[in-house]
């Protein structure tokens, strides 16, 4: 993991996101109720119905503020269960076309989500899935920097050269390379990272985005997740940026926990 923002124990309320900034995370699963119970117990989320155009889809809330989305996969669709980050857009149709021109793929949309906004689900040239979100009534994640909120997104891929050019062209990111890692920045602020794993990347999973969620205590949250049916992928370790662990939920969706330094 590379740079992420500082935290405020009470959380930071967000307004409209700058285009290219991660603004939302969403998970599509086979068991909506059991998945909501897992994350509700782990992060303290409550749930309300999302836009009806998205089918069985719920918004996860903390203290009444939007955090993330969890939806039900269509029956008979055996798609990978994974957290998907969405990048803010001021014109999804234009940016979806730009994805195609830069060598990516648009798998869903662009389409309207009622009065909430307009979206597209895309993949980069290596196959990692991400979304585009053009906000209307729903701006995206409305609170961050507190327990149970998205803190960072990192792309795990085979190599960074091709995909770095893709994302830089798509949203005009500046990049800061280091060995095997590229940090993407907007106006000098880090917004995500690309991490090259080479042959160490699990073949059955392929290139994918990993979402980090902020927690008050990584070890306690990891233990709680296991008791709820989650599985440890990488045990907790202390890094310069905090204490981090990677795990999967009961359906296999991977995510990470981040406890920032005191």
């Amino acid at each position: 993991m590379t740079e992420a923002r500082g935290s405020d124990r009470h959380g930071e309320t967000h307004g409209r996101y700058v285009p290219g900034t991660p603004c939302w995370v969403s998970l599509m699963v086979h068991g909506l109720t059991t998945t909501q119970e897992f994350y509700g117990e782990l992060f303290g989320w409550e749930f309300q119905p999302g836009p009806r155009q998205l089918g069985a889809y719920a918004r996860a809330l903390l203290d009444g503020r939007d955090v993330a989305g969890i939806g039900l996969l269509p029956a008979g669709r055996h798609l990978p269960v994974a957290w998907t980050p969405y990048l803010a857009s001021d014109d999804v149709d234009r940016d979806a076309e730009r994805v195609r021109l830069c060598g990516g793929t648009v798998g869903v949309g662009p389409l309207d989500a009622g009065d909430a906004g307009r979206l597209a689900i895309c993949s980069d040239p290596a196959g990692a899935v991400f979304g585009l979100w053009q906000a209307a009534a729903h701006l995206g994640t409305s609170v961050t920097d507190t327990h149970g909120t998205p803190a960072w997104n990192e792309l795990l891929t085979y190599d960074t050269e091709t995909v770095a050019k893709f994302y830089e062209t798509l949203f005009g990111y500046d990049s800061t390379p280091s060995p095997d890692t590229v940090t993407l920045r907007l106006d000098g602020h880090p917004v995500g990272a690309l991490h090259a794993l080479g042959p160490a990347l699990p073949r059955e999973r392929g290139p994918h985005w990993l979402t980090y969620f902020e927690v008050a205590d990584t070890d306690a949250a990891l233990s709680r997740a296991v008791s709820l049916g989650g599985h440890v992928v990488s045990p907790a370790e202390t890094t310069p940026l905090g204490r981090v662990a990677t795990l999967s939920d009961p359906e296999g969706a991977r995510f990470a926990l981040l406890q920032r330094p005191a």
Side-chain angles (χ1 to χ4, degrees):
M1 182 186 172
T2 57
E3 297 179 61
R5 291 179 304 152
S7 65
D8 181 324
R9 185 170 56 88
H10 301 291
E12 177 185 341
T13 300
H14 270 280
R16 186 169 294 274
Y17 284 82
V18 174
T21 304
C23 64
W24 187 244
V25 289
S26 186
L27 175 65
M28 302 298 289
V29 298
H30 300 286
L32 187 58
T33 300
T34 54
T35 301
Q36 288 178 353
E37 290 173 350
F38 173 83
Y39 287 102
E41 291 289 337
L42 181 60
F43 292 142
W45 292 351
E46 298 177 341
F47 296 91
Q48 290 186 356
R52 58 182 178 82
Q53 291 83 357
L54 301 181
Y57 188 85
R59 294 179 296 123
L61 310 175
L62 273 177
D63 297 325
R65 296 180 290 182
D66 290 315
V67 174
I70 298 179
L72 185 66
L73 283 167
R77 296 288 298 275
H78 300 289
L79 299 173
V81 177
W83 280 101
T84 300
Y86 282 72
L87 305 176
S89 169
D90 56 7
D91 187 333
V92 159
D93 295 79
R94 179 202 64 207
D95 290 337
E97 181 59 26
R98 188 177 294 169
V99 166
R100 296 186 184 98
L101 293 173
C102 292
T105 302
V106 179
V108 176
L111 56 86
D112 287 326
D115 62 358
R118 188 163 173 81
L119 67 87
I121 299 176
C122 312
S123 57
D124 66 28
V129 176
F130 65 97
L132 299 172
W133 180 252
Q134 182 179 343
H138 174 68
L139 300 181
T141 298
S142 59
V143 58
T144 57
D145 297 331
T146 192
H147 181 88
T149 61
W152 186 246
N153 291 285
E154 187 168 89
L155 175 62
L156 306 180
T157 189
Y158 292 112
D159 68 84
T160 59
E161 183 175 359
T162 300
V163 290
K165 292 178 181 177
F166 169 82
Y167 288 104
E168 289 164 3
T169 303
L170 183 60
F171 277 116
Y173 299 122
D174 295 320
S175 62
T176 304
S178 60
D180 299 324
T181 301
V182 174
T183 301
L184 301 177
R185 299 173 182 273
L186 277 176
D187 298 325
H189 300 290
V191 296
L194 319 177
H195 186 57
L197 295 181
L201 186 71
R203 181 169 296 183
E204 73 279 4
R205 189 163 296 270
H208 62 282
W209 283 93
L210 179 68
T211 296
Y212 288 72
F213 291 95
E214 182 152 341
V215 292
D217 185 323
T218 293
D219 295 87
L222 187 60
S223 177
R224 180 63 171 156
V226 171
S227 74
L228 294 168
H231 303 277
V232 177
V233 175
S234 299
E237 63 175 337
T238 300
T239 73
L241 293 165
R243 193 151 176 80
V244 174
T246 305
L247 61 156
S248 61
D249 67 20
E251 286 207 18
R254 292 191 179 189
F255 62 101
L257 305 173
L258 169 63
Q259 175 190 351
R260 301 185 194 272

